[in-house]
Amino acid sequence: MGGAFLAAAVLARVGGRIGLPTIPLFILAGILLGPYTPGAVLLDDPHDLEMLSALGLVLLLFYLGLEFHLDDLKTGGRKMALAGGTYLALNVGAGLGFGFALGWGTSEALVLAGVLGISSSAIVTKVLVDLNRIGNPETRPILGIIVVEDVFLALYLAALQPILSGADSLGAAVLDGGKAFGFLLLLALAARFGTKLIGKLMNTKDDELLVISFLGVAVFVAGVSEWFGVADAIGAFMVGLMLGSTASGPRIMKLVHPLRDAFGAIFFFAFGLSIDPGDLPSVVWPVLAAVTVTVAMNVFAGMATARIYAFGPKATANVSTTLLARGEFALILATMAAGAGLDERLSPFIAGYVLLLAVLSPLAAGRSHWLARILPGGRTRDQESGKEAVPV
């Protein structure tokens, strides 16, 4: 664990000097020191960091929930649902079509629909924090799309599991989906109506007790969520949503910040440990084609979101590039596909696709102004800005 922290820190420091984002560097550190790369091996089994990696993801989404206030859901729920539904329709639909075009099989196409269709909540959160965009107007729709994706994710996993396992019981699939949706609804009701009670229970002047309390609640609810068929990180997000609206919310956000950064680095490092670079050349062309499809669909989705929220080219480009990353959900699907005995090309394809977008997304988000210039109205805005800068 110490080696993981140090390796991530060294590479991130070197990359920071040349302007590279930290996320792909944390992943690269895992690849270089993992069991599949010749040379020094820090961990023979990537599962050794499984619990710490899960904790990193939980804390990243918990922090995201703290940032996403309930008032945003109350005032923009309809727009959020429309933007999120449009994003899913474009990206999941394109992923399904891409999967059938590859000809690897129907089950494989369903897996690829999820891989290409769902953004990485962890990477999106990290990009927003690193680029200091939490307060930007387009950040609320971005977070709203992630929330819609997370709800879809819970239902999608519940529906996909019996298909991959070969089960033909529609009733069991419906039961699993209903159980997951019911638990999400329960958490949403608690966030909506139980904020005052939760605030009283969490209220304490002692920082030590507050840290233990919010960590305990976040991790416990994350574990219970998983039992109900909901991703553990989604449960943590809902806890953050509840606690962020309490009087202790600002203090919790400050106290969780270093924990989020530390264990978030372990999450990305552990992701890198699971990648075998030797498998990547065999799927390089499908990976490049999938990345091209994803970039195009994200630009279209960003333009659709801009129309819904009346954003300009700059905000449109920020939405398109920030949501580009794919990550933890794709890895879950890769594990499910391997366990179900699907096409063996799926695992290296997903690893290469996720890694490439994990590198591309932060870089693209940091340079989103390049995209803004070529979007409709982008050059006009530049010209208008230039005219305004000239003294009369």
Side-chain angles (χ1 to χ4, degrees):
M1 179 176 160
F5 277 124
L6 287 174
V10 169
L11 274 182
R13 282 175 174 266
V14 172
R17 292 182 177 274
I18 55 177
L20 291 178
T22 58
I23 296 169
L25 295 170
F26 291 155
I27 296 172
L28 180 61
I31 294 175
L32 294 177
L33 296 174
Y36 306 112
T37 304
V41 176
L42 187 65
L43 287 167
D44 292 319
D45 186 0
H47 290 94
D48 288 344
L49 287 180
E50 187 172 9
M51 183 59 71
L52 294 175
S53 173
L55 182 59
L57 182 57
V58 163
L59 290 174
L60 281 167
L61 270 292
F62 174 70
Y63 186 85
L64 181 61
L66 291 171
E67 290 282 1
F68 198 93
H69 299 295
L70 281 172
D71 290 339
D72 299 317
L73 290 175
K74 297 174 187 175
T75 57
R78 183 175 298 179
K79 288 184 177 181
M80 180 184 76
L82 182 58
T86 303
Y87 187 90
L88 286 171
L90 287 170
N91 285 274
V92 174
L96 185 63
F98 179 82
F100 281 121
L102 281 181
W104 291 355
T106 301
S107 295
E108 287 79 0
L110 290 172
V111 170
L112 289 173
V115 171
L116 271 66
I118 307 293
S119 304
S120 168
S121 300
I123 296 179
V124 169
T125 306
K126 192 70 166 59
V127 167
L128 289 173
V129 172
D130 285 352
L131 296 178
N132 295 316
R133 290 182 181 169
I134 292 295
N136 285 16
E138 74 275 4
T139 296
R140 297 307 173 192
I142 289 172
L143 299 182
I145 290 173
I146 289 177
V147 171
V148 174
E149 285 185 320
D150 287 344
V151 174
F152 173 81
L153 159 62
L155 301 176
Y156 185 78
L157 283 178
L160 191 62
Q161 183 60 50
I163 297 174
L164 295 185
S165 63
D168 54 0
S169 173
L170 179 61
V174 171
L175 180 63
D176 289 342
K179 185 171 69 172
F181 184 77
F183 185 70
L184 280 173
L185 182 61
L186 180 64
L187 290 177
L189 290 174
R192 174 66 179 86
F193 299 106
T195 303
K196 291 184 178 179
L197 176 60
I198 295 169
K200 290 180 180 179
L201 294 174
M202 295 295 297
N203 188 32
T204 175
K205 295 181 179 180
D206 191 320
D207 284 349
E208 180 183 13
L209 291 178
L210 184 58
V211 169
I212 295 171
S213 298
F214 73 68
L215 276 180
V217 174
V219 176
F220 179 78
V221 173
V224 175
S225 299
E226 205 167 40
W227 188 81
F228 276 96
V230 177
D232 51 4
I234 300 175
F237 172 85
M238 296 302 293
V239 173
L241 193 64
M242 298 177 205
L243 299 184
S245 300
T246 66
S248 302
R251 285 176 60 211
I252 293 174
M253 190 177 297
K254 181 179 179 180
L255 291 169
V256 78
H257 200 281
L259 295 171
R260 180 209 67 190
D261 288 344
F263 288 98
I266 292 295
F267 168 77
F268 295 113
F269 181 86
F271 171 34
L273 289 176
S274 67
I275 295 176
D276 184 353
D279 292 336
L280 301 180
S282 64
V283 292
V284 62
W285 293 114
V287 165
L288 292 176
V291 168
T292 302
V293 169
T294 302
V295 170
M297 289 302 104
N298 271 262
V299 172
F300 290 139
M303 293 171 67
T305 302
R307 180 176 292 271
I308 293 169
Y309 285 89
F311 286 149
K314 181 179 179 181
T316 303
N318 287 346
V319 173
S320 300
T321 54
T322 303
L323 289 167
L324 191 59
R326 302 295 186 262
E328 60 277 1
F329 177 51
L331 294 181
I332 293 171
L333 285 175
T335 303
M336 291 173 62
L342 300 187
D343 196 304
E344 60 184 16
R345 290 171 291 184
L346 268 179
S347 292
F349 168 84
I350 293 173
Y353 171 75
V354 171
L355 179 61
L356 186 55
L357 283 180
V359 174
L360 178 62
S361 176
L363 292 173
R367 295 158 179 79
S368 59
H369 56 280
W370 293 353
L371 175 61
R373 291 174 184 170
I374 63 175
L375 290 174
R379 291 189 179 278
T380 303
R381 289 290 182 91
D382 286 345
Q383 291 170 359
E384 289 177 356
S385 299
K387 289 178 181 178
E388 291 173 1
V390 177
V392 177

